[in-house]
Amino acid sequence: MNERRRRLALVAIGLVALVFGPFATYQLTRTAERSPALLLADLAVGWSMIAAGLIIADRRPGNRIAPFAILTGFAWFVGDFTSSDVAVVSYLATVVHGWFDPLFALVILAYPAGRITRRPDRALAIGFVAVQAGWTVIQAYGLRPIAWWDCPTCISTVDRWIAAYDAMDPLGRIETLLLTGLSIGLLVVVAARWVSASGAARSRQTPVLVAGLVLAGGFIATFVWQTVLPTSAREPLGELRVIVLAVLRVFVAIALMIGVLRDDAAKGRIADLVVRLDGLPPLPVLQASLRDALGDPSLEVYRWEAASASFLDAAGRRATPPVDGAARAVLTIGHADAPELVIAHDPTLRDDPGLVSAAAAAVRLAVENERLQAEVRAQLDAVTASRARIVEAQDDERRRIERDLHDGAQQRLVSLQLSLQMLRRDLGPDADPAAVAELEAASAEAAAAIADIRELARGVHPAILTESGLGAALGSLADRSPLPVVVADDLDRRLPATVEATAYFVAAEALTNAIKHSGASRIDLRTWLADDQLHLDVRDDGRGGADATDGTGLTGIQDRVAALGGTIRVESLDGQGTRLEVALPCASL
């Protein structure tokens, strides 16, 4: 049955119960006057049991308690037709009504999972059904005088019913005695189940314990009523007895509904658990969260520790998780052969597999998130390290090119210039003026080429940075600037080469931007160390308004700083100049 049809079926049953209940209760007034309290109690018992069944069917579609509870409620209402003046209706109602208490017992024995699995429970269930089936056969035979085929024109069906029922009274007392014994056995079983249960199961078994008390109390009271009390004492207390038992039965139905709603509240705690387990918390926190979500103070969590090649409990001690069985239920998170987490909980929680599976799913999600986050962190670390290596390789390549220019092309040009100067001296004063002019021009070109190569090498990687450090290199940079640059160097030691190179080229790019775009008249440059970080501060008094997206070079600065895991902050309001603050980590390089 799909969800829509199931809902429609539940609505239909609810509407039938809504109409059938008052009509059945009205039948009680056909033969004798009934008090409003008695009529209300009668209606409350049937409606409450049917309502409990409908709620359980809605919240637990596969749970067999639901149909039993619904049948129990309708069996109660059918009993109101025993006073009908229609013979066949009275006959059938009398035969069916007795099934209320056995069905009620089956609901108790099957709660909360909807299955009767233990041997004592099965024995009691079989006993209730057998006794009631036997009594039903006896009633069907003994009450046949009021059946329609025997008395089709009966006027006083009730009189015949009373006469026939009085004839079966001895057998009825035996049936009551047997059901009383079975109900006492049921009370012992559910009480033992409640006492032996852990905290998680005990709260779930409380409605069953209450129901067992009510059922046993009802049969005991009925037995005493029939066998001990004299007839003169029955009449004054009759209605009170019926009302008290009815109220207790309503309480049982409410207890069943509370049990289901408590499970729904537990599922709400599972939703909270999912939020709390956004990342996998420490084991003690995870264990406490699961205990709260599942209502099981005995729950234990074990985590595999690769370093020690063993499981650790929440206290951090080596431990061996229990084996799944009757004593403990065990869930594994991760691969079956190599679980990451093991959760041992009260086995009675198996009665609500949806709740446990939801909690396990939340933990699996947290474990998977933790694994994915670890992978992402590892990838980010790898990318950061890769970017740092790229920057370092670029700086090494810059230094190599600078050395090649200095030791190669520059030295050749210097040698060429010296050769040209020596050739000019060797020509003497009588040399051809045209030749002398050519030699002097060639020498001047060589000198210009040497200057260009030196400037190129300085742009690629200044030799002073490698030889004397960042402070001297920034001072040299300031000396070559067309704008006044004030350098405040508070460094007291050399830094890693990659950090110094990054700081230098960031400062060079910032100076270039200020000179080209800011219209500044002064630039202040400061460096200092704090918390294992190199801080670089470059300020100008220009027009401001610098934007990393307009091609002014800030994008390149940001990329180079980010490659080392540094931070950069730019303040550049219109008319208030530009300030560039850079922090580069030094400890990890």
Side-chain angles (χ1 to χ4, degrees):
M1 183 182 297
N2 59 34
E3 180 67 19
R4 184 171 180 273
R5 289 182 179 179
R6 185 178 65 82
R7 294 276 181 173
L8 289 175
L10 294 179
V11 171
I13 293 172
L15 292 175
V16 170
L18 192 64
V19 175
F20 183 63
F23 178 69
T25 302
Y26 167 73
Q27 296 300 312
L28 294 176
T29 65
R30 299 297 300 274
T31 56
E33 188 70 23
R34 301 293 197 282
S35 69
L38 184 63
L39 297 177
L40 182 61
D42 179 80
L43 192 61
V45 172
W47 267 357
S48 62
M49 290 303 300
I50 294 173
L54 292 174
I55 290 176
I56 295 173
D58 180 54
R59 304 298 177 89
R60 305 286 185 274
N63 197 307
R64 296 176 185 175
I65 290 178
F68 281 127
I70 293 172
L71 286 175
T72 302
F74 277 108
W76 176 267
F77 282 138
V78 168
D80 293 341
F81 288 89
T82 57
S83 61
S84 174
D85 53 6
V86 179
V88 65
V89 172
S90 177
Y91 175 77
L92 294 176
T94 303
V95 172
V96 172
H97 175 62
W99 283 95
F100 173 84
D101 286 320
L103 287 173
F104 194 64
L106 293 179
V107 170
I108 295 172
L109 292 170
Y111 183 87
R115 300 184 303 273
I116 302 176
T117 56
R118 301 195 312 170
R119 288 185 178 180
D121 296 352
R122 287 180 177 177
L124 286 171
I126 293 172
F128 273 107
V129 172
V131 170
Q132 185 58 43
W135 178 237
T136 300
V137 172
I138 292 172
Q139 283 184 307
Y141 180 80
L143 298 178
R144 70 188 187 283
I146 67 170
W148 63 274
W149 57 81
D150 189 47
C151 185
T153 59
C154 287
I155 298 175
S156 182
T157 303
V158 174
D159 294 339
R160 289 177 172 268
W161 182 89
I162 293 173
Y165 205 89
D166 287 342
M168 295 186 300
D169 187 65
L171 294 177
R173 295 191 179 193
I174 294 175
E175 183 256 357
T176 302
L177 177 62
L178 292 175
L179 290 179
T180 301
L182 288 171
S183 65
I184 293 174
L186 182 143
L187 177 58
V188 172
V189 166
V190 297
R193 188 193 306 174
W194 186 84
V195 170
S196 62
S198 65
R202 185 168 293 177
S203 61
R204 297 164 61 86
Q205 295 294 333
T206 299
V208 174
L209 180 65
V210 174
L213 288 170
V214 171
L215 184 65
F219 276 116
I220 293 171
T222 302
F223 179 75
V224 172
W225 181 269
Q226 292 180 345
T227 59
V228 178
L229 289 180
T231 305
S232 59
R234 295 181 189 179
E235 188 64 28
L237 299 176
E239 184 171 314
L240 178 62
R241 178 184 71 92
V242 172
I243 292 176
V244 170
L245 288 177
V247 171
L248 292 176
R249 283 164 172 160
V250 171
F251 282 159
V252 171
I254 293 174
L256 293 174
M257 288 186 278
I258 289 175
V260 173
L261 296 177
R262 182 189 292 119
D263 289 343
D264 288 345
K267 291 188 175 180
R269 294 197 299 271
I270 295 297
D272 295 337
L273 178 67
V274 174
V275 175
R276 281 181 288 176
L277 298 185
D278 181 42
L280 192 64
L283 209 57
V285 178
L286 175 61
Q287 180 171 284
S289 299
L290 286 172
R291 285 180 174 181
D292 177 63
L294 295 177
D296 180 10
S298 69
L299 183 143
E300 300 286 343
V301 180
Y302 305 87
R303 187 169 190 174
W304 177 257
E305 181 68 30
S308 61
S310 63
F311 281 100
L312 301 181
D313 62 13
R317 300 183 300 262
R318 290 188 180 186
T320 301
V323 179
D324 187 62
R328 297 292 283 168
V330 176
L331 285 172
T332 58
I333 308 297
H335 298 291
D337 297 334
E340 300 178 44
L341 286 174
V342 174
I343 302 172
H345 60 83
D346 192 306
T348 58
L349 290 176
R350 293 188 182 117
D351 294 338
D352 193 353
L355 183 66
V356 177
S357 62
V363 177
R364 288 190 182 96
L365 180 62
V367 171
E368 185 65 15
N369 284 342
E370 182 74 9
R371 184 184 64 79
L372 293 175
Q373 289 175 9
E375 289 181 359
V376 170
R377 286 194 296 267
Q379 291 174 356
L380 288 176
D381 291 342
V383 169
T384 301
S386 175
R387 293 173 69 182
R389 288 194 299 270
I390 291 172
V391 170
E392 186 174 358
Q394 289 177 344
D395 291 335
D396 290 342
E397 186 65 15
R398 284 174 176 270
R399 283 190 291 270
R400 187 191 65 78
I401 295 173
E402 186 273 331
R403 287 194 304 270
D404 289 346
L405 289 174
H406 181 273
D407 299 337
Q410 181 177 312
Q411 293 300 324
R412 288 177 179 274
L413 288 173
V414 169
S415 298
L416 175 61
Q417 185 184 31
L418 291 175
S419 298
L420 290 173
Q421 290 175 353
M422 291 176 63
L423 181 58
R424 170 67 184 83
R425 286 197 303 270
D426 292 342
L427 291 177
D430 299 328
D432 183 5
V436 171
E438 288 292 336
L439 287 173
E440 289 179 348
S443 180
E445 285 295 327
I450 291 171
D452 288 344
I453 288 178
R454 285 175 177 170
E455 188 64 28
L456 176 61
R458 188 181 296 112
V460 172
H461 192 281
I464 191 173
L465 180 63
T466 303
E467 297 168 359
S468 303
L470 180 60
L474 293 178
S476 174
L477 189 65
D479 292 339
R480 300 194 309 274
S481 172
L483 292 179
V485 178
V486 179
V487 178
D489 178 28
D490 295 333
L491 302 179
D492 57 359
R493 60 183 173 90
R494 293 297 300 270
L495 303 176
T498 303
V499 175
E500 289 188 337
T502 298
Y504 174 82
F505 287 112
V506 168
E509 185 66 34
L511 290 181
T512 300
N513 288 341
I515 293 168
K516 288 184 178 180
H517 306 291
S518 71
S521 60
R522 172 189 169 101
I523 301 173
D524 292 283
L525 193 156
R526 182 188 171 206
T527 58
W528 72 97
L529 282 173
D531 300 326
D532 289 326
Q533 286 188 324
L534 168 64
H535 294 268
L536 172 67
D537 187 277
V538 182
R539 307 185 190 191
D540 66 56
D541 59 356
R543 66 175 64 93
D547 187 356
T549 63
D550 65 0
T552 59
L554 287 177
T555 303
I557 292 176
Q558 290 173 339
D559 291 343
R560 191 173 182 97
V561 170
L564 295 187
T567 59
I568 182 171
R569 188 167 71 92
V570 179
E571 293 181 3
S572 187
L573 299 177
D574 289 338
Q576 299 183 27
T578 299
R579 180 180 181 181
L580 180 70
E581 295 179 281
V582 174
L584 299 172
C586 302
S588 60
L589 299 173

